[in-house]
Amino acid sequence: MTSPAVDRVYQGQFGEFTITDSDRLGVRLYRLGLNLAAFSFAVATIIVLSRPQLLPLTNLLYMGFCLGLGISLLTIHIYLIPLHRLLQVFWLIGAITSLIFSLYYQLSPLEFVYNHPVSLFGVGFIFASLTGIYFKEAFCFNRLETKFLTPLVP
């Protein structure tokens, strides 16, 4: 005969908490999204620097970056709801702007920004949402790399 599982209570920086299966799934999805975004960004950077003939592939990689970031922003644990929603709105503004540039101008969003720098005020919201994730990680986990990246990305 087995006894029912008892949730372990942890003492955190802001009080006691338990970790549920839903929390574990959310964290896995959050990390999966960040990995997709990081991988897409890294491969696109390598292509831009070393294989200009593959430049059209960066549009697909940028979409992977945006998708991964969107997944992370849906599943991230930010309990200050207005901040969480603000980061999601930033992502949405950047994603919609990128989509408009891709469809209307028939250029990749990054190529359009390169040729029209003022358009960064639309696409740049994607990167502002990424900066928000760095800020959250720096605040919650006191990680040195996120403290470094927070002012670097904007």
Side-chain angles (χ1 to χ4, degrees):
M1 183 170 183
T2 61
S3 62
V6 176
D7 287 331
R8 184 171 168 195
V9 177
Y10 298 93
Q11 181 60 44
Q13 181 177 350
F14 302 106
E16 293 181 344
F17 66 95
T18 58
I19 298 173
T20 66
D21 287 339
S22 176
D23 292 329
R24 287 181 185 87
L25 177 62
V27 168
R28 285 186 186 108
L29 290 172
Y30 168 71
R31 290 178 179 171
L32 178 70
L34 286 181
N35 277 299
L36 175 59
F39 175 79
S40 298
F41 195 87
V43 171
T45 301
I46 291 167
I47 287 173
V48 167
L49 295 176
S50 65
R51 303 272 188 209
Q53 67 274 20
L54 297 177
L55 212 52
L57 186 58
T58 59
N59 199 28
L60 180 63
L61 291 165
Y62 178 74
M63 287 190 289
F65 168 77
C66 291
L67 176 66
L69 195 56
I71 290 168
S72 293
L73 286 168
L74 281 174
T75 57
I76 192 171
H77 290 145
I78 298 178
Y79 301 108
L80 183 60
I81 299 301
L83 176 61
H84 193 179
R85 295 296 175 255
L86 179 66
L87 295 179
Q88 290 172 332
V89 167
F90 280 5
W91 177 87
L92 189 62
I93 291 169
I96 289 172
T97 304
S98 297
L99 187 62
I100 289 169
F101 292 159
S102 291
L103 296 175
Y104 187 75
Y105 295 104
Q106 299 296 310
L107 294 171
S108 75
L110 301 179
E111 186 179 2
F112 189 84
V113 168
Y114 181 78
N115 293 318
H116 305 89
V118 74
S119 65
L120 190 58
F121 287 111
V123 174
F125 278 94
I126 287 280
F127 298 96
S129 68
L130 180 61
T131 300
I133 291 176
Y134 293 150
F135 178 79
K136 181 263 186 198
E137 294 294 328
F139 180 76
C140 291
F141 299 110
N142 200 23
R143 302 289 305 186
L144 177 62
E145 60 273 18
T146 56
K147 289 178 182 179
F148 175 72
L149 288 170
T150 298
L152 182 67
V153 170

